[in-house]
Amino acid sequence: MMRRKIAICILAVSLIAVGCGQSDKAAVQATDSKVSAESYVSSPADSSSVAAPVMESAAENPEAVRNEPDEKPDENSAGKSDKWVDVSKEDPADEVSSDPTLGEGFSVIPGDVITVSQDSKEVKVGETVTVESPRGTFDLTIDSIRLTDERSAGIRADRVVEVTYTYANTHNYADLLVGDTCFMLSDSQGRACAPYIFDPTSGDHPQPMPIGQGEQFTSSFGFILPEDSDASVTLLYKASFEDPNSFEFNVKADL
């Protein structure tokens, strides 16, 4: 009987010891886990594990960047030198008047036959002609029609005809300007000659300028005479190439 009691006591002590060991083991594991976690978070050497979630949370949305509105332009940023006209409010039926002495609308292809009107006045070189145009009256003189040896760089031609003329604002014309597009030159067969551009930097061929009343201006321009043409040419002037009934005169010359 005594042995049985001793055996029961030994078994009980063993069970109690086993239970205490498991509790201590669990406590140690819990402590180790806590220490490991704290060491993992606070360890500066393992920065990649901490930085990764921070970068993912701070990444920009590419759609938001693309959808960002552009910066609006400053409406007052245009300089005074900008040349533009707002025509959105203009009446499309309005017509812009042009200076008929500029010969606007005139276009001739070299080689085309030029027809001189029956009413065209024939004048001589050096003779002053009073021109009646829609915008006023002025005087025009063809000073010379001659062959010239002058050539511009890069523009070749065998024969070049130089025409010198003077326009005078001696009547009632405001800001008179007579340009070279008012004239056509034809050879003896009536064929239109191509224009020749002189070098404006030479000083011998000033660009036409507008002049006021009492002033006059002398300028010149050139034409290319075809190789198969003879020495006879006709210079034609029209006050307006848009109006077939406008004032016209012609000058014949032998070069």
Side-chain angles (χ1 to χ4, degrees):
M1 187 72 177
M2 180 60 74
R3 291 180 178 179
R4 185 177 181 184
K5 289 182 179 180
I6 293 172
I8 292 173
C9 290
I10 293 172
L11 179 62
V13 172
S14 300
L15 293 176
I16 293 172
V18 172
C20 291
Q22 290 180 349
S23 299
D24 293 341
K25 185 177 180 181
V28 171
Q29 291 177 348
T31 303
D32 293 341
S33 300
K34 181 177 181 181
V35 173
S36 299
E38 291 177 354
S39 301
Y40 174 77
V41 173
S42 60
S43 176
D46 194 8
S47 58
S48 60
S49 300
V50 178
V54 175
M55 292 180 62
E56 293 176 358
S57 61
E60 294 183 355
N61 185 357
E63 293 295 331
V65 175
R66 284 196 295 268
N67 294 332
E68 183 178 354
D70 297 334
E71 183 180 356
K72 293 183 179 180
D74 185 3
E75 296 179 355
N76 299 321
S77 63
K80 294 182 180 179
S81 61
D82 294 339
K83 303 296 183 182
W84 63 275
V85 178
D86 183 6
V87 297
S88 59
K89 297 181 181 180
E90 292 187 3
D91 187 352
D94 292 343
E95 296 182 357
V96 179
S97 60
S98 59
D99 189 342
T101 64
L102 295 179
E104 294 183 5
F106 162 62
S107 177
V108 61
I109 300 176
D112 284 356
V113 176
I114 298 174
T115 302
V116 179
S117 172
Q118 294 180 352
D119 298 329
S120 180
K121 183 180 180 179
E122 184 176 343
V123 301
K124 298 182 181 298
V125 173
E127 181 180 347
T128 298
V129 181
T130 299
V131 178
E132 301 286 346
S133 73
R135 291 187 57 186
T137 304
F138 60 92
D139 291 336
L140 180 60
T141 305
I142 304 302
D143 301 318
S144 64
I145 303 176
R146 66 184 184 88
L147 289 174
T148 178
D149 294 331
E150 182 178 356
R151 299 291 186 271
S152 299
I155 306 179
R156 297 181 179 180
D158 291 333
R159 291 189 294 176
V160 175
V161 180
E162 179 189 48
V163 178
T164 303
Y165 68 104
T166 299
Y167 54 96
N169 195 353
T170 54
H171 297 276
N172 59 348
Y173 206 104
D175 296 329
L176 173 65
L177 188 153
V178 180
D180 56 357
T181 55
C182 303
F183 301 91
M184 291 186 294
L185 185 74
S186 62
D187 61 7
S188 59
Q189 302 178 47
R191 298 176 301 179
C193 298
Y196 187 87
I197 308 301
F198 291 115
D199 183 4
T201 62
S202 66
D204 298 330
H205 308 280
Q207 295 294 321
M209 300 291 292
I211 58 175
Q213 291 188 2
E215 299 177 334
Q216 67 178 24
F217 193 90
T218 299
S219 186
S220 59
F221 52 88
F223 290 98
I224 300 175
L225 190 63
E227 296 180 2
D228 59 347
S229 299
D230 56 26
S232 297
V233 294
T234 299
L235 181 70
L236 179 66
Y237 170 86
K238 285 182 69 70
S240 174
F241 284 96
E242 298 176 352
D243 182 6
N245 298 321
S246 65
F247 179 83
E248 176 183 319
F249 73 84
N250 66 88
V251 183
K252 297 184 183 300
D254 291 325
L255 306 174

